[in-house]
Amino acid sequence: MKITKFLGLSFLLFAFAATSFHEGVQAEDPAAVLDFYGREVQAGASYLIDHEDIRVVTATINPICNSDVLLSTGNEGLPVKFSPVINSTDGVIREGTLITVSFDASTCTGMAGVTPMWKIGFNSTAKGYIVTTGGVDRLNRFKITKFESDSSFYQLSYCPNSEPFCECPCVPVGANSDNYLAPNVSYADFRFKPDPGIRAHKMENKMVSE
């Protein structure tokens, strides 16, 4: 009888401890990706990507839905949008989570089979695989991670859709010798700036409505 009571008490203590431990180690959300001003990067918002204040991410041709992606010093860059592969509850883009990247391009509307979403494609001019447009949702995945722990810059990586074919690791996206964004060439540090053109457009609409 005493043994039975002891075993019962032990089981209850074990169950309580296990429950308490589970609650104590629940995984927290990964850190939010922060923009140039230290604010959380929002899914679906429009951002410019720059590289050390010298070069900006842009496209090779217009319409940008049939273009390649490169770093340039000659213009203000083209805005992009980030979308989580798995919808987040708060709409925040977080470090290390899978996302899709798209140019914020109204010029693609109505173009059958063409999208502004980034993907990896072969380019004979660049003599290799580079980042280009025309991607399909959930098949062309990227992620953003901190470039250095104490830095405001981030690293962009391409993550092949490995399921169910292979365990394919993510590879860094940098710039090749021709300034095309390309996978597995070198690390590049990026920052994300809210698109000033979007803010100006909203202010104009507000003034008109008033």
Side-chain angles (χ1 to χ4, degrees):
M1 187 69 176
K2 291 182 178 180
I3 295 176
T4 303
K5 289 183 177 179
F6 175 77
L7 291 175
L9 180 61
S10 299
F11 176 80
L12 290 174
L13 290 173
F14 175 80
F16 176 79
T19 303
S20 301
F21 178 77
H22 174 73
E23 292 177 352
V25 298
Q26 281 183 340
E28 296 182 357
D29 289 334
V33 176
L34 303 180
D35 68 15
F36 179 78
Y37 303 103
R39 297 180 297 227
E40 294 177 340
V41 171
Q42 301 293 317
S46 187
Y47 293 90
L48 299 173
I49 304 178
D50 74 12
H51 173 59
E52 296 182 340
D53 286 330
I54 301 173
R55 295 183 292 176
V56 292
V57 171
T58 187
T60 50
I61 59 174
N62 191 19
I64 63 178
C65 304
N66 287 316
S67 65
D68 302 319
V69 184
L70 76 162
L71 289 175
S72 172
T73 57
N75 55 46
E76 298 179 351
L78 289 172
V80 302
K81 290 183 177 181
F82 306 109
S83 300
V85 171
I86 299 176
N87 290 331
S88 64
T89 57
D90 56 6
V92 173
I93 299 299
R94 299 189 176 276
E95 294 181 28
T97 57
L98 293 175
I99 60 173
T100 57
V101 185
S102 301
F103 280 122
D104 188 3
S106 58
T107 53
C108 293
T109 305
M111 298 177 66
V114 180
T115 75
M117 184 178 291
W118 290 12
K119 68 175 185 178
I120 301 299
F122 185 81
N123 182 290
S124 58
T125 302
K127 298 179 180 179
Y129 287 93
I130 63 170
V131 181
T132 185
T133 56
V136 179
D137 192 19
R138 295 180 179 271
L139 295 181
N140 300 275
R141 309 179 305 180
F142 294 80
K143 72 176 181 179
I144 299 171
T145 53
K146 209 64 180 290
F147 187 72
E148 294 177 348
S149 59
D150 59 347
S151 170
S152 61
F153 288 92
Y154 291 89
Q155 169 64 46
L156 184 66
S157 298
Y158 172 66
C159 301
N161 189 1
S162 59
E163 300 173 350
F165 304 107
C166 66
E167 293 295 330
C168 303
C170 299
V171 295
V173 170
N176 64 16
S177 58
D178 295 316
N179 287 329
Y180 289 96
L181 258 62
N184 212 24
V185 289
S186 64
Y187 283 95
D189 47 347
F190 297 110
R191 291 187 298 188
F192 313 110
K193 295 182 177 179
D195 179 16
I198 296 297
R199 293 202 303 272
H201 180 66
K202 288 182 178 179
M203 287 299 296
E204 289 176 1
N205 288 341
K206 183 178 179 181
M207 292 175 65
V208 170
S209 63
E210 293 175 350

